[in-house]
Amino acid sequence: MAEWPARWGKYRFDATGIPAAYTYLGQLIAHDLTWNEATTTDSSVRFRCATLDFKSIFERATDLSPLPSVCDNGGLALGCTSAGRQGDLPRSPCGAPVLADTRNDQTLTLSQLVVLVTKFYQVFAARTADKTQAHLDARRHMQWIVLYDYLPRVIDPIVYGDVMQSQAWPLLGEGAGLIPIEFSAASFRLGHAMVRYRYPHWREGGGGASLKDLLRFTHHSAASRFVDVAGERRLPDDWTAGWSFLLPSEGESMQSSLSAAIDENLALDMFALPDSIGDCLASAPEPDGIEYGTFNLAEHTLVRGNRLCLGSAQSLCEFSDARLREAGGARLPRRLPTVRLSQTRSHSLSDFLVSDSAASLRTDTPLWFYFLREADIHASGQHFGPLASRITMETIFRAIRSDADGILLSNFKPDFSDERGKFGLKDLHEVVQTHWKPET
């Protein structure tokens, strides 16, 4: 899965046409859906039903003291870059992020996206003294972006249309609204395949960035590239995100960075990630040849799925088919035949999958690997395949519907929509460019 596919001719990065920023918006969504708020009375955790309310961003962190240069504006803070601009997360003296969910500092693109959303909230906070209303406004705009801008890009269009029309989630059933393990451990992990090995245009002032670069500007990295400014660990000013490159306009093709195709070939650096990221602790052994203190994301995901006792893809296909037949929902295509599962672009991987050693993988295929192949076969890596789309779409739609003040239970319309009523992540960036003012 890590074989460098140079022999393919044009590498399949840029195949999806999905701007690179949406890769990390997906990560932000995943973090919010799986974030649990710690109580203030003891060290226990308060578990909550999955609601996409972006509390993981809009809740204030209370357990760390930020740097003196951190600027609090409307109840949410921003940190300064090396040049004194408010362009980074708020940080403590050691460089740790002062966030409700510190996972949002896993890569520089993700932390810069949190900075962008924080500035967007501050635009609303500047318009009213009611901070609860500012939170609500920002939250609803984010839900709108997820439902009408992000999901149509990554979800199979037939599945998207069926869920939006029916306003139902027949595959998930009428349970308590917790996150399905098939979502958190398999279908939404397809976002990992969208991560590029290198982004040719990433920085605000021009210039590209590799995935390794983006990992080294976080508190997770032992080789951190923050710079010391008067005793404070700060982000170098020339490493703020160039959103015009990561969120190109419709039809733009020059100087833009797009997501990688969704298939079983992952960026090379995904096989040696810092072991302080995510939920990798003790979940997978360190592979031979990988430096100490790192983990292999593909191995980790497959081993983790096994330890969580995830059902096989074949069993989930049968279950899903029965559920959707009962509900009268849009039926899914027949499950992938064994021969298609084995026909990958990596000759060595294909040779293994057709061997006797992989017999059980062909008949009881790990869910995550099946979803990767499904996206490649059904959509040429352009978006999720039908089954992964169904699980993902129903989970996120239900999470938005679970917010009593959210967009699906109100007559909300975005404040900054265009003449067609459209509002997306690029529009959010333009609002910040036009209306956000730094605290003085």
Side-chain angles (χ1 to χ4, degrees):
M1 294 178 71
E3 182 175 349
W4 185 260
R7 65 180 187 283
W8 302 351
K10 185 180 185 301
Y11 191 40
R12 295 188 75 229
F13 284 154
D14 292 344
T16 67
I18 301 175
Y22 290 92
T23 303
Y24 298 91
L25 177 58
Q27 191 176 14
L28 195 65
I29 294 166
H31 288 176
D32 194 68
L33 289 174
T34 57
W35 177 67
N36 288 306
E37 182 182 1
T39 66
T40 56
T41 55
D42 53 41
S43 59
S44 63
V45 173
R46 181 186 299 118
F47 290 96
R48 60 191 181 108
C49 291
T51 301
L52 190 62
D53 54 14
F54 292 97
K55 277 192 172 182
S56 61
I57 299 177
F58 299 138
E59 286 282 305
R60 288 179 64 98
T62 58
D63 57 342
L64 289 173
S65 298
L67 295 169
S69 62
V70 165
C71 302
D72 192 310
N73 189 348
L76 285 183
L78 291 170
C80 289
T81 66
S82 60
R85 288 195 302 151
Q86 294 168 32
D88 189 24
L89 300 175
R91 297 188 182 277
S92 68
C94 66
V98 184
L99 297 173
D101 188 346
T102 58
R103 293 178 299 171
N104 287 334
D105 189 37
Q106 285 182 345
T107 72
L108 182 55
T109 312
L110 181 59
S111 66
Q112 284 288 288
L113 183 57
V114 173
V115 170
L116 182 65
V117 174
T118 299
K119 289 180 177 180
F120 183 65
Y121 159 78
Q122 290 179 353
V123 169
F124 288 104
R127 303 197 309 182
T128 177
D130 185 351
K131 303 314 175 193
T132 300
Q133 184 62 45
H135 279 118
L136 180 61
D137 289 339
R139 183 169 91 220
R140 285 176 169 176
H141 279 79
M142 288 299 297
Q143 289 176 350
W144 185 279
I145 289 170
V146 171
L147 192 58
Y148 296 108
D149 183 31
Y150 171 77
L151 289 173
R153 296 176 187 271
V154 300
I155 298 297
D156 179 276
I158 294 175
V159 174
Y160 179 83
D162 184 64
V163 173
M164 292 297 288
Q165 182 177 8
S166 66
Q167 301 277 292
W169 43 88
L171 186 56
L172 301 188
E174 298 298 328
L178 299 175
I179 291 294
I181 198 68
E182 292 83 1
F183 170 88
S184 60
S187 74
F188 214 46
R189 288 187 174 242
L190 294 188
H192 293 147
M194 297 170 66
V195 174
R196 295 183 62 126
Y197 177 72
R198 180 172 179 82
Y199 297 90
H201 306 283
W202 190 94
R203 289 189 270 176
E204 182 178 5
S210 68
L211 177 56
K212 189 168 290 186
D213 287 329
L214 303 179
L215 290 168
R216 286 177 175 171
F217 286 108
T218 76
H219 73 291
H220 291 283
S221 176
S224 174
R225 293 174 64 182
F226 290 127
V227 297
D228 187 277
V229 178
E232 298 184 356
R233 303 291 291 165
R234 294 193 189 179
L235 175 69
D237 193 68
D238 60 343
W239 276 92
T240 52
W243 294 111
S244 59
F245 302 134
L246 304 175
L247 287 166
S249 298
E250 296 292 333
E252 285 186 7
S253 59
M254 299 298 291
Q255 292 190 331
S256 62
S257 287
L258 304 179
S259 300
I262 305 169
D263 59 25
E264 68 281 357
N265 293 281
L266 275 63
L268 294 181
D269 286 335
M270 300 294 276
F271 294 82
L273 292 171
D275 61 7
S276 57
I277 287 180
D279 50 11
C280 63
L281 299 180
S283 65
E286 290 185 352
D288 293 338
I290 299 296
E291 62 181 286
Y292 178 77
T294 63
F295 77 102
N296 178 326
L297 183 134
E299 183 174 20
H300 158 64
T301 302
L302 292 168
V303 171
R304 184 172 181 265
N306 180 265
R307 291 184 175 180
L308 290 171
C309 299
L310 280 179
S312 69
Q314 288 77 11
S315 64
L316 182 59
C317 286
E318 293 178 8
F319 172 81
S320 302
D321 188 60
R323 273 286 178 91
L324 294 173
R325 190 187 308 116
E326 292 171 4
R331 299 287 297 280
L332 297 173
R334 297 184 65 181
R335 75 186 187 200
L336 299 180
T338 300
V339 66
R340 297 304 303 277
L341 282 171
S342 305
Q343 291 174 340
T344 72
R345 289 179 172 79
S346 166
H347 294 322
S348 57
L349 180 57
S350 292
D351 290 343
F352 168 72
L353 290 172
V354 299
S355 69
D356 292 341
S357 301
S360 60
L361 292 179
R362 296 193 297 270
T363 56
D364 296 294
T365 309
L367 206 51
W368 180 64
F369 184 77
Y370 181 92
F371 288 157
L372 291 169
R373 295 296 298 130
E374 181 191 50
D376 191 13
I377 292 168
H378 280 285
S380 298
Q382 303 292 299
H383 53 69
F384 295 5
L387 182 55
S389 289
R390 191 82 210 188
I391 295 169
T392 302
M393 182 66 192
E394 288 196 11
T395 299
I396 296 178
F397 182 88
R398 184 177 66 175
I400 296 174
R401 177 64 174 74
S402 298
D403 183 0
D405 293 319
I407 61 172
L408 291 174
L409 294 177
S410 68
N411 57 357
F412 171 79
K413 297 296 180 184
D415 288 7
F416 303 98
S417 58
D418 63 15
E419 63 277 3
R420 296 170 295 171
K422 297 182 67 175
F423 181 81
L425 191 56
K426 183 174 180 61
D427 301 300
L428 181 150
H429 173 243
E430 291 176 354
V431 169
V432 170
Q433 291 286 93
T434 304
H435 298 282
W436 179 79
K437 293 181 174 56
E439 183 183 62
T440 56

